Amino acid sequence: MLTKLPDVMLEPMVRAALLEDLGRAGDITTSAIVPAGLRATMVLAARKPGTVAGLDLARLAFRLIDPAAVLEIHRPDGTSVAAGEAIATVHGAAAGLLTAERVALNYLCHLSGIATATAAVVAALDGLPTQVVCTRKTIPGLRAVQKYAVRAGGGANHRFGLDDAVLIKDNHIALAGGVAPAVERARASVGHLVKIELEVDTLDQLDEALRLGVDAVLLDNMSVDTLRRAVALVGGRAVTEASGGITRASARAIAETGVDMMSLGWLTHSSTALDIGLDSTG
Amino acid sequence: MLTKLPDVMLEPMVRAALLEDLGRAGDITTSAIVPAGLRATMVLAARKPGTVAGLDLARLAFRLIDPAAVLEIHRPDGTSVAAGEAIATVHGAAAGLLTAERVALNYLCHLSGIATATAAVVAALDGLPTQVVCTRKTIPGLRAVQKYAVRAGGGANHRFGLDDAVLIKDNHIALAGGVAPAVERARASVGHLVKIELEVDTLDQLDEALRLGVDAVLLDNMSVDTLRRAVALVGGRAVTEASGGITRASARAIAETGVDMMSLGWLTHSSTALDIGLDSTG
Amino acid sequence: MLTKLPDVMLEPMVRAALLEDLGRAGDITTSAIVPAGLRATMVLAARKPGTVAGLDLARLAFRLIDPAAVLEIHRPDGTSVAAGEAIATVHGAAAGLLTAERVALNYLCHLSGIATATAAVVAALDGLPTQVVCTRKTIPGLRAVQKYAVRAGGGANHRFGLDDAVLIKDNHIALAGGVAPAVERARASVGHLVKIELEVDTLDQLDEALRLGVDAVLLDNMSVDTLRRAVALVGGRAVTEASGGITRASARAIAETGVDMMSLGWLTHSSTALDIGLDSTG
Amino acid sequence: MLTKLPDVMLEPMVRAALLEDLGRAGDITTSAIVPAGLRATMVLAARKPGTVAGLDLARLAFRLIDPAAVLEIHRPDGTSVAAGEAIATVHGAAAGLLTAERVALNYLCHLSGIATATAAVVAALDGLPTQVVCTRKTIPGLRAVQKYAVRAGGGANHRFGLDDAVLIKDNHIALAGGVAPAVERARASVGHLVKIELEVDTLDQLDEALRLGVDAVLLDNMSVDTLRRAVALVGGRAVTEASGGITRASARAIAETGVDMMSLGWLTHSSTALDIGLDSTG
Amino acid sequence: MLTKLPDVMLEPMVRAALLEDLGRAGDITTSAIVPAGLRATMVLAARKPGTVAGLDLARLAFRLIDPAAVLEIHRPDGTSVAAGEAIATVHGAAAGLLTAERVALNYLCHLSGIATATAAVVAALDGLPTQVVCTRKTIPGLRAVQKYAVRAGGGANHRFGLDDAVLIKDNHIALAGGVAPAVERARASVGHLVKIELEVDTLDQLDEALRLGVDAVLLDNMSVDTLRRAVALVGGRAVTEASGGITRASARAIAETGVDMMSLGWLTHSSTALDIGLDSTG
Amino acid sequence: MLTKLPDVMLEPMVRAALLEDLGRAGDITTSAIVPAGLRATMVLAARKPGTVAGLDLARLAFRLIDPAAVLEIHRPDGTSVAAGEAIATVHGAAAGLLTAERVALNYLCHLSGIATATAAVVAALDGLPTQVVCTRKTIPGLRAVQKYAVRAGGGANHRFGLDDAVLIKDNHIALAGGVAPAVERARASVGHLVKIELEVDTLDQLDEALRLGVDAVLLDNMSVDTLRRAVALVGGRAVTEASGGITRASARAIAETGVDMMSLGWLTHSSTALDIGLDSTG
C-alpha cells in the first residue's frame, strides 16, 4: 500500500511554490484577461506513457488558489497511464485554474517522471526479489515528495537523512583510522533501533564488515561477478545493497546476483519529467 | 557578466536543505565516528566535463555547518571544467565537511547539470545571434537558482513568474473570446514597462498579433519552414521566440530561421545532474 | 479591470498582523467582557470621502479570527465613497469582530489612503493620457498591497523590485564610467523581455540615451519647460517618465508637457490614511 | 534613555524587506553595471530638517548585503538633524551599497518621519508635563519599530497590542450591558500587574469610571473646556488621556488642561516620511 | 472567565508539532496498516484526577490531519476531571486519529499537568485572597499556552515577557549603582501604563522601595515572619508578591501573611504531566 | 561520545525563544537601567547537583543578543555538577547578559533536568547492560533537544518520530484485524533498513510476534516476573523493551530481568528542571 503524506506536510511546500510564481503582482495575464465569474473544466492528460505521482500536490495548488476547485482523479498515484490518457479532471474558476496550472504541473510532471523511471527499473527486475531504492541525492527541499514518488513507482526508500540510519563511508573509515573503530564507535553511539550499514569496495573489506556484525553492506561499484561472490560471502548475515552507476539496462544482471537491493541516485537527481498538460474541455 | 544572487537570497534555501538532511538527530554517523578536533582539506572534482554553477550554495552549506570553513574556487560559476578537474578546494573541520557534503553536492551537481545542458545548446548555435532561454517549468522552490544556472551556461531568462511580463496563451484567448480582446485587456491593465507576448500557432494568428502591436510572439511548435516565414512576416516588429520540443540536435536549424530566441523547458525540469564528487586529499 | 491579489498572497500578511496585535495573551479586554455566544453586525463606514482599497485584507482579518464571519461589500475596492457612507457590513461573533477590528482597519485605512491620494492626482489629469505611477519608496513588507492600492486609485505601477526592469541612475553611471558602458553592460546582461530605463538630468544626457536606444527615460527634477523640450526630443522613441517633487498641484502642468507617465514616491511613503471606522448597528 | 531594540528583533524584518526588493533575480541593474571589486563611501544626508530614527535598520540592510560594510553614525537616533546635514557615512562594496540603498532608506525615511512628527508635537508642549503617546493605529508588521520611532521623537508608548493592558471602549460597554459589568469582568480576569483603562465620552461616565476605580481614563473627543473639568474631577485618582483629532496646532491647549497624556494615531498611520538621500562622496 | 486564545495563535504551534512528529516520511506504521476508509470514535480519558487544559490544541491536532474530525468536549478547559473520566470524544478517520494522537496528547497532558498543579495550590489557599501566579520560567516556545494553563487552573499571570512590565532585580540594582537610580531611570523611560516592580530582599530595601513609589514589590525568599512584617510595612501602598521556593505545602502559611500574590516558577518549568490516554470505544 | 547537534539546528529555536521573551518592546527594564557600555562577567552555577545539558543553547542565547559574548565552559554537557559548582562563565555586555539570561536558563535548566533524571536511572542500573531510552512523549517543539538531553544523561533514544521505525500498538492491531495482518502490511510497506517493533501485552502475543519475526518487542506493563519469562521466551531473537510506569525505584529490578532496554516517557514530559542560576562575579 502506498504510504500517502498528509496535507499538513505538503501544503507549506505548495504555498511556497505558488508564492514563488505569483511574485509581487500576481498573475497579471489571467487577471487582466479572464472574466472573474467564468467557470471551467480542464483535464490533466499525459502526453507520454508513465506512472503517476503528485496528485495531492496538484490538488493543493488548485485549492489554494480556488478553495472551491475540485480534482476528480481517474488514474491515482502509483498507477500507469497511457499517452493521451486523462489522469484527472479539475473543475473550478477558469482564472484560478490558469493561475495554479504551472505549479500543479511542475510538481506532477517532476514526480511522475521519478515514478516512471522507478517503475521502468522495477519492471526490468520482474520476478526477482531485489528492491529498487533511492538515495539522499535529491533536489533540496523535495526529499519527502521525491522519495514518495519512488514508492509510487514501486521502489523503496533508503535513508531519509543523516539521522535515521548509520551509513559509514570511505571518508569516515579513513578519518576513524580503520573499519573496526568506525563500526565500534557507531554502535556505542546509537540506539538499538538504528541500523548500521557499511560501504565496502572489496571482498576483503566485506569479510571484515561481516565479522564486525553490521546490519547492511553497501557494495560500491562492484562488477556483476564480484557482486555474486559478495552475496555468497554474506550468506544472509546482512542486507546487501549494490550501488554505483546502475542503469535501467544493467539492473537485471545486477539483481540476478542476488543482492537484496540496488540504490540509484539518478532516480531523484536526473529523471526526465513526464510530459503532462492541462487541456481545456469542449 | 554573470549576475550573482546575494547570500541573503541563498542562505534561507541552504539552511532549509541542511535541516531537511539533518532531521531531528543530526549526522549520527559522522558525530559518532569522526573526532571533533580533526581538520581536513577536500576537493570538489568533476567526474564528467561540464559547466559549473552553484558554488555560492556549496560554500554556504559548508559555512553554515562550520563557520570557519573556507572554499577556494578554481573554476568559478560559468566556466567549463574537464573530467577529473578540481572545481574548488574546501578546508575546514573534517566532521563538518562530511556533514555538509551531500547538501553542497546536491546543489552543485543539479545546477551544474543545468548549466552544462544550456552551454551545450548555446555551443550548438555558435556564431548565430539567437538566445537560449528557460521557462517557468522549474522545480518548485528553485526557480531563482535554476534560472541563475541557465545564465551561468550562457543562456538568458524568460519570465521569472506570473507577474513580470504578460504571456497570453491559447487558454487565455479562448476564455477572452479572441485575440483582440485578450491583448486589449492586457494592455489596459499593465504599466508601460511590462512587455506583452502572445502565443501564436499559425501565420494567420501571427498576422493578427502584429496588427495588435504586441512586443513579442511565442511561435509554438512550428516547423523550421514555418518559423522562417514567421520571422520574415514579423520583419523586426516584435521579438520572436521559438518554443516547443526543441532539442540540442534541432536547435541550430531553428536558430538559422532567424528567431530572436528559443525557449527550452527541459533545461530546468529534466537536465541530467553533473557528476561531481568530494574527494579526500592526500 | 483591477488586478486582484489571491488570498494565498494576502493571508500570511494578515496572520502576521493579527499575531502582532494579539501578542502572547490575546485580546484580554474583549475576552473578559464580551459574552462568547453573542453575535453582532457592524458597519465599516468612511468618515471622510475617498477611494476604497484593502477589503480583501479586512475580510481575511475577520475570517481568521472568526471563520464564520461574513463581509458584505457595498463599495468595492477602486470605487469612491462619500463621508459617512457604508463601505461594507460585517456579520459575525461580536467578540471576534472587536478582536479583528484594529488589524482590519489598519489595512483598510492605510490602503484606502493611498488609493484616495492616487485618485486625486489621476483626477487632476482628467482628459490627459499621462499615467500616474508609484515607485519603490514603499513601506517595507507592504509593497505588493501598496502597489495594488495605487492601481485601485487609478494609477499604474512602476518596478516592483530590483529584478523586474533595469533602471540606471546617477550612481550607476558614475561607477560604470559613463552612460554608454552602463547601458551596454545592462543590455548584454538581461533578456529581451526586460526593459531598460535610464535616468537623465539634462537634455544632453537625454540625447545620448536616445542614441543608445533605451526603452524608457526617467526625466529627473526637470522644469515644465525642460520636460516639454525633452518630450519633443524623444519624439516617441522611448517611454518618458517625469519624476521628482511632483505634487497634486503641479501634476497637471507636468502632464501637459506630454510625458507618458509621472512617478510619485509619496503616494506610498507619505499618504494620509483614510479615516474609516467600525460602527455598531442598531 | 532611548530603549533600543536588539538586532535579533530587527534582522528578520530587514531580511524580509531585502527579499521583497530583490525578488527572484536580484539587483539586475547594479550586478550588470557596477564592477564587483569596487568600494565606495556614501553619505546618508537629510534633505529636510527632522529627528532621526531607524539607523539600526539601515545598518542591517547594508550589512546583510555586504557583511563588511560599516556604518559610521554622526547623528544617532533621537537627535535632530538640519537640512543637508549628514546623518551617517557608510563604507562598503559599491554594488552592495546600491543594492541595499532603497531598503535602508525606506526604513530610515519612514521612521525618521514619525520621530520628526512626534518631536514637533513634543516641542509644542515645551514646559508642560503632558506626554505624547501613539496608539495601535500602526502599519501592520511595523508596530515595534514605529513605536520605537515615537520614543526617538520624545514621545511615549501606549499599548503595544491587545494583550498588555485592558482598554474598555464603547463597543465593549454596549456588549457588556454597562460600564460597571465591563469593568468588573475585566478586573476579575486580569492579573494585578495589568492596568485597566476606560474610554469615557462625558463627565457623567467619568464619574462612574472613577467610582469603579479604573487606573486610567481615555477622554474621547472632549473639548478643551470639558477636558479641564474632567482633569479636575479626576483629581489625581487616575491617569488621564486625551484622545481624538488632536493636531500639532491644538496640542498645547489640550496639554494646558492638565491631562497626563494625549494619544495621536496619526503619528504612526499618517506621518510624512523625512526626505533622506544616499549621496556619493567625492 | 477563562480568556481563550484564538486559533490563529495556536494553529502555527500545532502545525509545527505535527511536522516534528511526521518527519520526512509521515506515519509509516498507520499508513501501512490502517485501511484508509475506516472511521473511528475514540475517547480522551484521564488516568488520574486533575484539571483540564489544552483541548483547543488537541482539537487542532486532529483537525489538521483530518479536517472532518470532530471533538466533542465533556470536560472543558478549567474544569476538574476524575480518574477514568472522559474529557472528550473524537470522531474521525481512524488513521488520522492515530497519526494525530501523540501531538494531541503531548499538549493536553503537559498543559493539564500545569493546570492541575496550579489548581492544587489555589485549593490550598481556599478562602484567602492571595493570587497564585506563574513566572517567565517557561518552556521555550510554549509561554502563551503555559500561561493559559495556569489561568485554567485558577491562577493568574505575571509578566508575559521582558516588555510588558518593569521588574528590577538584584543585578539591575548593582549595575545601576543603587535602587534609587534604577527606579528613576525606569520611570523616566516607560509610559504611564507600565507598572514598575522591584525585587527586595530585606525590610530596609522595602522601605526604600516604598519611598520611591514603585507599583509592586517582589519579596524574595523571605521567611513567613518577615513576609508578615513586610506586608504591614507596605500597608497597601504597593502590590506585594512573595517569591522563592514556595511549594504546595508552604503556600497557605505564606498566603496567610497577607501578600497579594505568590509566584511559583515550577508551575511551568517542572509540573508533572497529567496522565491522559486516547482509548478505543467499543 | 555525545552526538552534538549543529548550531544550524539550534539557532532557529533560540531565536524564537528570544523573540517570545522580548515581545514588541524588548527588555524595557535593562535598557532603561543598565548603561550601554558596561561589561560584565557572570557565572552559570548549579544550585543542586545534577548532569549538564543545553550549553550550546545557552551560548546561542547570549551570542544572539551580544555577538561578542563568550561562554567559557567548565562542566560540559554530559558531565555531572555539584551543588554550587560553576558550569560556565560568560563574558559580555552587562545589558546583553541580563536580556538573554532567562532564555539561556530556561533551556539549560530544562534540559539539565532531563539529563539529571536520566543519569539517575542509568546509575541505578550500574553494571547491567539494559539501556534507558526516552519516548515520543516530548514537549512539542523540543523533541530534538530533549532527546539530546537524554543522551547527555547516558540514555539512548527510541523513535524520533512517526517516520523512523514502525511501532505497532494495540489500536493498529485492532484496526488491522489481528497481529499477523498488521505485521505483514508493515513489512510489505517499509524498506529493509526500517525496523519493526510490536507492542505485546501477554506471552501469547509475544509468541505470535516472534513467529512473525519482528525486530523488537515492546513488553507493555508487564510484571517483573512476566518480563523475565518474556526475555527467556525471546531468547535473543528480537530486541526486548520494557515499558509502562517504570520509575527510578523500580528500574533495577526490571533491568535484572534481562530486557535490552526500558523506555520512560516521564524523562521528557515530567522531569524536574535542574536549578541553575546566573550570578554576578566580584
Side-chain angles (χ1 to χ4, degrees), chain A residues 17 37 54 58 83 90 98 110 116 129 137 141 159 161 169 203 243 272 275:
Chain A
V90 59
L98 294 185
H110 177 64
T116 300
K137 295 182 178 176
R159 289 201 298 175
K169 300 194 181 176
L203 295 182
S243 181
T272 298
D275 193 358

Short mmCIF file of all heavy atoms in Angstrom, two decimals, chain A residues 17 37 54 58 83 90 98 110 116 129 137 141 159 161 169 203 243 272 275:
data_model
loop_
_atom_site.label_atom_id
_atom_site.label_comp_id
_atom_site.label_asym_id
_atom_site.label_seq_id
_atom_site.Cartn_x
_atom_site.Cartn_y
_atom_site.Cartn_z
N ALA A 17 5.53 27.39 -3.37
CA ALA A 17 5.69 27.31 -4.82
C ALA A 17 4.75 28.31 -5.51
O ALA A 17 5.13 28.94 -6.50
CB ALA A 17 5.40 25.88 -5.29
N GLY A 37 -16.07 35.69 -13.13
CA GLY A 37 -17.12 34.72 -12.80
C GLY A 37 -17.04 33.42 -13.58
O GLY A 37 -17.71 32.44 -13.22
N GLY A 54 2.06 12.62 -7.48
CA GLY A 54 1.98 14.05 -7.20
C GLY A 54 0.60 14.66 -7.26
O GLY A 54 0.46 15.88 -7.20
N ALA A 58 -0.87 18.65 -6.79
CA ALA A 58 -1.63 19.35 -7.82
C ALA A 58 -2.97 19.82 -7.27
O ALA A 58 -3.39 20.97 -7.47
CB ALA A 58 -1.83 18.43 -9.03
N ALA A 83 -0.19 7.25 -23.12
CA ALA A 83 -0.07 8.55 -23.79
C ALA A 83 -1.46 9.01 -24.21
O ALA A 83 -2.22 8.25 -24.80
CB ALA A 83 0.84 8.44 -25.00
N VAL A 90 -10.26 18.66 -13.50
CA VAL A 90 -10.39 19.68 -12.46
C VAL A 90 -11.49 20.67 -12.85
O VAL A 90 -11.56 21.11 -14.00
CB VAL A 90 -9.02 20.37 -12.21
CG1 VAL A 90 -8.47 21.03 -13.45
CG2 VAL A 90 -9.14 21.38 -11.07
N LEU A 98 -6.06 28.56 -14.36
CA LEU A 98 -4.90 29.01 -15.15
C LEU A 98 -3.78 29.53 -14.25
O LEU A 98 -2.59 29.32 -14.53
CB LEU A 98 -5.33 30.09 -16.14
CG LEU A 98 -6.28 29.63 -17.25
CD1 LEU A 98 -6.52 30.76 -18.24
CD2 LEU A 98 -5.72 28.40 -17.98
N HIS A 110 7.28 16.51 -12.56
CA HIS A 110 8.55 16.12 -11.94
C HIS A 110 8.41 14.79 -11.19
O HIS A 110 9.21 13.87 -11.36
CB HIS A 110 9.02 17.22 -10.99
CG HIS A 110 10.28 16.90 -10.25
ND1 HIS A 110 11.49 16.71 -10.89
CD2 HIS A 110 10.53 16.71 -8.93
CE1 HIS A 110 12.42 16.42 -9.99
NE2 HIS A 110 11.85 16.41 -8.80
N THR A 116 7.91 7.19 -12.98
CA THR A 116 8.02 6.49 -14.25
C THR A 116 9.38 5.82 -14.40
O THR A 116 9.48 4.65 -14.81
CB THR A 116 7.77 7.48 -15.40
OG1 THR A 116 6.46 8.03 -15.25
CG2 THR A 116 7.90 6.81 -16.76
N PRO A 129 13.49 -10.73 -6.49
CA PRO A 129 13.12 -10.09 -5.22
C PRO A 129 13.87 -8.80 -4.91
O PRO A 129 13.57 -8.13 -3.94
CB PRO A 129 13.46 -11.17 -4.19
CG PRO A 129 14.60 -11.93 -4.81
CD PRO A 129 14.37 -11.89 -6.30
N LYS A 137 20.63 11.69 -2.78
CA LYS A 137 20.95 12.60 -3.87
C LYS A 137 19.65 13.16 -4.45
O LYS A 137 19.23 12.82 -5.56
CB LYS A 137 21.77 11.85 -4.95
CG LYS A 137 23.12 11.40 -4.44
CD LYS A 137 23.95 10.70 -5.51
CE LYS A 137 25.33 10.31 -4.95
NZ LYS A 137 26.13 9.55 -5.92
N GLY A 141 14.94 20.43 -0.71
CA GLY A 141 13.59 20.87 -0.41
C GLY A 141 12.51 19.89 -0.84
O GLY A 141 11.37 20.00 -0.41
N ARG A 159 17.88 5.70 3.36
CA ARG A 159 17.83 6.74 4.39
C ARG A 159 17.11 8.00 3.92
O ARG A 159 17.30 8.43 2.78
CB ARG A 159 19.26 7.16 4.77
CG ARG A 159 20.01 6.11 5.54
CD ARG A 159 21.16 6.75 6.31
NE ARG A 159 22.14 7.38 5.41
CZ ARG A 159 23.17 8.08 5.84
NH1 ARG A 159 23.36 8.25 7.15
NH2 ARG A 159 24.02 8.62 4.98
N GLY A 161 17.64 10.81 5.65
CA GLY A 161 18.53 11.89 6.04
C GLY A 161 19.72 11.34 6.79
O GLY A 161 19.91 10.11 6.88
N LYS A 169 31.00 5.49 5.35
CA LYS A 169 31.62 5.52 4.03
C LYS A 169 33.14 5.61 4.13
O LYS A 169 33.71 5.76 5.22
CB LYS A 169 31.08 6.71 3.25
CG LYS A 169 29.57 6.66 3.04
CD LYS A 169 29.15 7.66 1.98
CE LYS A 169 27.64 7.62 1.80
NZ LYS A 169 27.18 8.64 0.84
N LEU A 203 36.11 -7.52 -1.44
CA LEU A 203 35.63 -8.68 -0.67
C LEU A 203 36.36 -8.79 0.66
O LEU A 203 35.78 -9.27 1.65
CB LEU A 203 35.79 -9.95 -1.50
CG LEU A 203 34.93 -9.99 -2.78
CD1 LEU A 203 35.12 -11.32 -3.51
CD2 LEU A 203 33.46 -9.78 -2.46
N SER A 243 25.44 -0.62 -5.41
CA SER A 243 25.37 0.82 -5.63
C SER A 243 26.45 1.25 -6.61
O SER A 243 27.51 0.63 -6.69
CB SER A 243 25.55 1.55 -4.29
OG SER A 243 25.47 2.94 -4.48
N THR A 272 13.86 12.31 -16.09
CA THR A 272 13.19 13.18 -17.04
C THR A 272 11.74 13.36 -16.60
O THR A 272 11.07 12.38 -16.27
CB THR A 272 13.23 12.54 -18.44
OG1 THR A 272 14.59 12.41 -18.83
CG2 THR A 272 12.47 13.38 -19.46
N ASP A 275 5.76 14.23 -19.40
CA ASP A 275 5.06 15.33 -20.08
C ASP A 275 3.55 15.22 -19.84
O ASP A 275 2.91 14.28 -20.33
CB ASP A 275 5.38 15.29 -21.58
CG ASP A 275 4.95 16.58 -22.28
OD1 ASP A 275 4.40 17.47 -21.62
OD2 ASP A 275 5.20 16.67 -23.50
#
